[in-house]
């Protein structure tokens, strides 16, 4: 039983730390898992790519959804989630989310998170797109993620939990039976750890966030380069639903050539009554959906994009001038400051907005306890695909998903036979000695030059963005394949590519953070495009211009992707909309690239 045998080209680990659990990521999913594992007596290490509070969680503006208000019920929350997911949600996963969600939010409050309250002391609850009730708890008006991150980071520090910051995780370590035994990582900068090392642990939890940086313009921070999905694929894990990338409909438009992280204008602004209008002031959402501006995000993003195409415009407008200065300052101070920093005053003028890559509904396939198809490897938060989101995430369900499934993962690890609590902090770093052999029997993945990064992002934005077609996706697949092929042909490690079509061989890449990130981006981009090309329908946030209708008879099922030993993504369809069981014994064995798909009903 083996994985793909593929790993990034990197120096051998020069130091190691011993633990029971290593959690990769420091957002709501990662830190909640770590705190629960520590409370269970497990020696836990948190590895994070930047500082503890630099992940995607702190950028979340709107809030966290849960049935906490009077008259609201988990069943109503379930119904809204299933509708948004366009027929591909796993109902058991959604039911788990909505029934355990209220208690998880109360425990988060017990950890120290302060949410906005009314004079009566009850939580102030907002409404967002796709929700038929006010059930969004928020903090600081529009700074919910920042408050959650603050509370969890403070709790982690109070618990003296072992952390390794500024560290890019590289690959999964496995034992001779194919079971997880830790990760390799590279620490950027000096400190207690430096350079490439390893954390040895029988349980690894991926909570690495999303992969928005695979596109030119995104709401995601710079650290969101798909590292967790790429690591899992190299380890032999299955990923699913990668084609369902949610483009947030209202991102502050900074110009046609704007790249990198873009300011988000939260859905909560529309929830409080802001209107989407075109340059003539026409509210075009009124005839698009019964909820108008509060329709699910895929519908709003499509409507904005369609109106832009009809009018030859680069953006639409979000008009909330009727809020007045006081409401803007009290309810949305972060968004107000961001707009004014870019020369726009929402108090006196409409905000120019356009869709941008925001959230990956798909990811590493898990069961309801966060277990992946590699034994000992778990995934939680945006990096995971639990089945909760289906083809389109319901607004503000992401923080809740990270919270609920983090608690489930910690309980599963604590109860498992491979992680009996040993007590005390994680073991100190030790230098590698001659008795610790170098890693053998693996295939080193040729690295992609950092020069190729902008080209990969342009390929994805043009070919696999909000609007997709067989032609655009085929062109994207060819261009990405050219980048991959150039790397394979290079010597001794790899070269990158330049230009829209991948170009030709360039400067050889050397091991380092930039080349590792670019290699991860290419890995997830190829898998995403392969899935998007395969799904010949429009569903949720996957919009095929050439296949504009939803086709339940043929496509109400999931696309599962694995990385083959030849580095090519291999796809299979599930027989139904339900995920097959997570079975490490069956799926952690390489199969031929032309292996048959599951029988279709």
């Amino acid at each position: 039983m083996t994985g793909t045998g593929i790993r990034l080209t990197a120096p051998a680990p020069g130091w190691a730390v011993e633990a029971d659990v290593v959690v990769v990521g420091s957002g709501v999913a990662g830190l909640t898992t770590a705190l629960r594992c520590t409370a269970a007596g497990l020696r836990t290490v948190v590895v994070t790519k930047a500082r503890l509070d630099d992940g995607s969680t702190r950028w979340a503006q709107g809030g966290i959804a849960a049935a906490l208000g009077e008259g609201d019920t988990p069943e109503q929350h379930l119904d809204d989630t299933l509708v948004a997911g366009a027929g591909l949600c796993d109902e058991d996963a959604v039911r788990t989310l909505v029934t355990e969600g209220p208690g998880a939010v109360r425990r988060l409050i017990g950890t120290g998170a302060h949410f906005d309250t009314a004079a009566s002391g009850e939580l102030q609850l907002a409404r967002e797109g796709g929700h038929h009730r006010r059930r969004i708890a928020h903090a600081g008006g529009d700074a919910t993620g920042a408050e959650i991150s603050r509370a969890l980071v403070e709790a982690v520090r109070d618990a003296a939990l072992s952390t390794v910051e500024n560290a890019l995780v590289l690959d999964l370590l496995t034992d001779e039976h194919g079971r997880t035994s830790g990760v390799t990582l590279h620490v950027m900068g000096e400190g207690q750890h430096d350079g490439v090392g390893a954390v040895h642990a029988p349980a690894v939890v991926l909570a690495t966030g999303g992969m928005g940086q695979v596109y030119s313009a995104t709401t995601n921070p710079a650290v969101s380069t798909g590292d967790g999905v790429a690591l899992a694929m190299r380890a032999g894990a299955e990923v699913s639903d990668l084609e369902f990338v949610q483009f947030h409909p209202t991102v502050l438009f900074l110009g046609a050539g704007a790249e990198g992280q873009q300011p988000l204008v939260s859905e909560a602004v529309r929830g409080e009554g802001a209107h989407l209008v075109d340059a003539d002031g026409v509210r075009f959402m009124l005839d698009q959906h019964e909820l108008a501006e509060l329709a699910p995000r895929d519908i709003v993003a499509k409507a904005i994009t369609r109106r832009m195409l009809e009018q030859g415009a680069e953006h639409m407008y979000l008009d909330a001038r009727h809020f007045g200065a006081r409401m803007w300052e009290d309810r949305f101070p972060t968004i107000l400051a961001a707009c004014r920093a870019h020369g726009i005053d929402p108090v006196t003028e409409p905000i120019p907005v356009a869709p941008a890559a925001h959230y990956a509904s798909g990811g590493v396939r898990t069961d309801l306890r966060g277990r992946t198809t590699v034994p000992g490897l778990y995934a939680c938060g945006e990096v995971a695909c639990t089945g909760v989101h289906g083809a389109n995430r319901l607004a503000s369900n992401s923080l809740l998903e990270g919270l609920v499934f983090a608690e489930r993962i910690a309980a599963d690890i604590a109860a498992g036979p491979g992680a009996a609590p040993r007590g005390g902090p994680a073991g100190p770093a030790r230098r590698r000695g001659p008795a610790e052999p170098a890693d053998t029997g693996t295939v080193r993945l040729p690295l992609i030059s950092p020069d190729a990064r902008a080209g990969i992002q342009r390929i994805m934005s043009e070919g696999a963005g909000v609007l997709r077609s067989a032609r655009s996706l085929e062109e994207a697949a060819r261009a990405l394949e050219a980048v991959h092929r150039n790397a394979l042909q290079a010597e001794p490690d790899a070269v990158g590519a330049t230009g829209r079509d991948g170009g030709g061989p360039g400067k050889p890449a050397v091991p380092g953070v930039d080349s590792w990130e670019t290699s991860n981006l290419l890995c997830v981009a190829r898998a995403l495009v392969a899935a998007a090309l395969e799904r010949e329908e429009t569903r949720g946030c996957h919009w095929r211009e050439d296949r504009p209708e939803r086709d339940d008879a043929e496509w109400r099922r999931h696309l599962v992707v694995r990385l083959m030993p030849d580095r090519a993504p291999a796809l299979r369809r599930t027989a139904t909309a339900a995920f097959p069981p997570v079975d490490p014994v069956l799926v952690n064995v390489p199969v031929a690239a032309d292996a048959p798909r599951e029988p279709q009903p």
Side-chain angles (χ1 to χ4, degrees):
M1 181 171 64
T2 60
T4 65
I6 302 171
R7 290 188 185 172
L8 291 172
T9 298
W15 53 269
V17 172
E18 305 295 328
D20 297 320
V21 185
V22 55
V23 177
V24 187
S26 59
V28 62
L31 295 188
T32 300
T33 304
L35 286 167
R36 296 294 183 271
C37 285
T38 300
L42 298 168
R43 299 186 304 168
T44 306
V45 174
V46 174
V47 173
T48 188
K49 195 171 180 181
R51 304 294 295 177
L52 280 179
D53 61 352
D54 278 344
S56 294
T57 291
R58 77 180 181 95
W59 296 100
Q61 294 174 343
I64 185 166
L68 295 163
E70 184 178 353
D72 197 6
T73 65
E75 198 68 27
Q76 294 176 67
H77 190 182
L78 180 142
D79 289 343
D80 286 345
T81 300
L82 294 180
V83 169
L88 280 188
C89 294
D90 182 293
E91 188 165 339
D92 288 341
V94 178
R95 193 170 298 280
T96 297
L97 178 84
V98 299
T99 56
E100 297 182 11
V105 172
R106 293 187 183 97
R107 286 186 289 276
L108 177 62
I109 293 172
T111 302
H114 302 294
F115 290 92
D116 296 338
T117 57
S120 62
E122 296 181 348
L123 287 174
Q124 284 185 345
L125 298 175
R127 185 179 169 198
E128 294 183 358
H131 294 273
H132 282 79
R133 284 190 174 273
R134 285 183 171 266
R135 64 168 64 98
I136 317 300
H138 51 83
D142 59 358
T144 308
E147 170 57 18
I148 291 173
S149 181
R150 179 207 62 78
L152 291 174
V153 169
E154 188 173 300
V156 163
R157 288 175 175 155
D158 287 346
L161 206 152
S162 179
T163 62
V164 183
E165 295 179 286
N166 301 307
L168 172 65
V169 67
L170 299 177
D171 279 301
L172 190 74
L173 295 173
T174 56
D175 61 21
E176 65 274 17
H177 303 294
R179 183 178 176 83
T180 294
S181 61
V183 292
T184 55
L185 62 156
H186 173 78
V187 180
M188 301 165 272
E190 298 180 358
Q192 183 180 1
H193 311 296
D194 192 20
V196 175
V199 180
H200 295 149
V204 171
V205 182
L206 296 178
T208 52
M211 51 188 181
Q213 290 291 327
V214 78
Y215 291 95
S216 297
T218 177
T219 63
N220 289 190
V223 294
S224 298
T225 51
D227 308 317
V229 170
L231 175 151
M233 292 184 71
R234 289 193 297 272
E238 290 186 346
V239 300
S240 185
D241 297 356
L242 289 187
E243 67 270 33
F244 297 117
V245 177
Q246 186 177 83
F247 287 78
H248 198 290
T250 54
V251 176
L252 183 62
F253 181 76
L254 300 181
E259 297 182 347
Q261 186 177 10
Q262 312 290 300
L264 177 67
V265 182
S266 170
E267 192 144 345
V269 178
R270 281 176 281 135
E272 296 295 345
H275 304 147
L276 279 166
V277 298
D278 60 20
D280 297 323
V282 176
R283 284 185 66 187
F284 55 89
M285 283 303 302
L286 291 175
D287 60 354
Q288 297 292 319
H289 192 274
E290 63 172 356
L291 295 177
E293 282 88 359
L294 288 178
R297 287 179 178 176
D298 63 309
I299 294 172
V300 180
K302 291 172 188 175
I304 290 174
T305 304
R306 188 180 292 115
R307 195 73 161 191
M308 288 163 55
L309 291 173
E310 291 172 354
Q311 299 187 343
E314 292 182 324
H315 60 81
M316 291 287 108
Y317 292 93
L318 187 64
D319 191 353
R321 288 175 291 179
H322 54 285
F323 284 6
R326 180 65 180 272
M327 181 172 176
W328 268 110
E329 292 165 359
D330 291 348
R331 181 68 175 87
F332 302 111
T334 306
I335 298 170
L336 178 64
C339 288
R340 286 176 170 171
H342 290 282
I344 299 156
D345 189 350
V347 177
T348 60
E349 59 186 318
I351 306 168
V353 294
H358 181 58
Y359 189 87
S361 293
V364 185
R365 188 167 78 83
T366 75
D367 65 8
L368 296 186
R369 289 182 280 180
R371 299 179 301 181
T372 74
T373 51
V374 174
L377 178 66
Y378 296 78
C380 190
E382 190 173 356
V383 70
C385 183
T386 62
V388 159
H389 304 306
N392 183 47
R393 175 181 66 103
L394 181 65
S396 290
N397 267 357
S398 52
L399 291 175
L400 189 70
E401 181 195 34
L403 200 60
V404 167
F405 286 89
E407 294 186 342
R408 291 184 141 249
I409 287 171
D412 191 71
I413 294 173
R422 301 174 195 171
R430 57 182 174 82
R431 290 292 158 184
R432 180 186 183 134
E436 188 174 3
D439 185 35
T440 60
T442 60
V443 177
R444 293 296 170 182
L445 181 70
L447 299 179
I448 309 300
S449 168
D451 294 341
R453 180 167 177 162
I456 293 169
Q457 292 169 328
R458 285 194 298 272
I459 291 167
M460 293 299 292
S461 295
E462 294 172 13
V466 178
L467 297 179
R468 304 168 178 180
S469 67
R471 180 176 178 179
S472 75
L473 291 165
E474 287 167 355
E475 289 178 354
R478 282 194 296 268
L480 294 172
E481 181 60 26
V483 179
H484 174 68
R485 187 171 56 250
N486 290 333
L488 294 181
Q489 294 172 349
E491 56 181 22
D493 292 314
V495 296
T498 58
R500 172 65 178 85
D501 62 353
K507 182 179 179 181
V510 296
V513 172
D514 290 341
S515 58
W516 290 323
E517 283 188 337
T518 307
S519 300
N520 287 337
L521 286 173
L522 180 62
C523 177
V524 298
R526 293 178 74 210
L528 191 161
V529 168
L533 185 57
E534 180 80 1
R535 182 174 288 278
E536 296 181 335
E537 66 158 355
T538 289
R539 181 185 297 271
C541 50
H542 174 65
W543 188 8
R544 286 281 298 262
E545 292 180 280
D546 56 333
R547 302 282 184 170
E549 302 301 323
R550 172 170 155 175
D551 183 358
D552 279 352
E554 182 69 16
W555 286 107
R556 192 164 178 251
R557 59 198 72 195
H558 302 274
L559 284 171
V560 178
V561 186
R562 294 188 64 223
L563 189 65
M564 306 309 294
D566 65 358
R567 305 176 183 86
L571 281 72
R572 65 181 175 91
R573 285 192 235 175
T574 60
T576 68
F579 276 136
V582 169
D583 190 343
V585 175
L586 293 177
V587 300
N588 204 32
V589 180
V591 295
D594 59 352
R597 292 177 178 156
E598 292 183 3
Q600 301 300 308

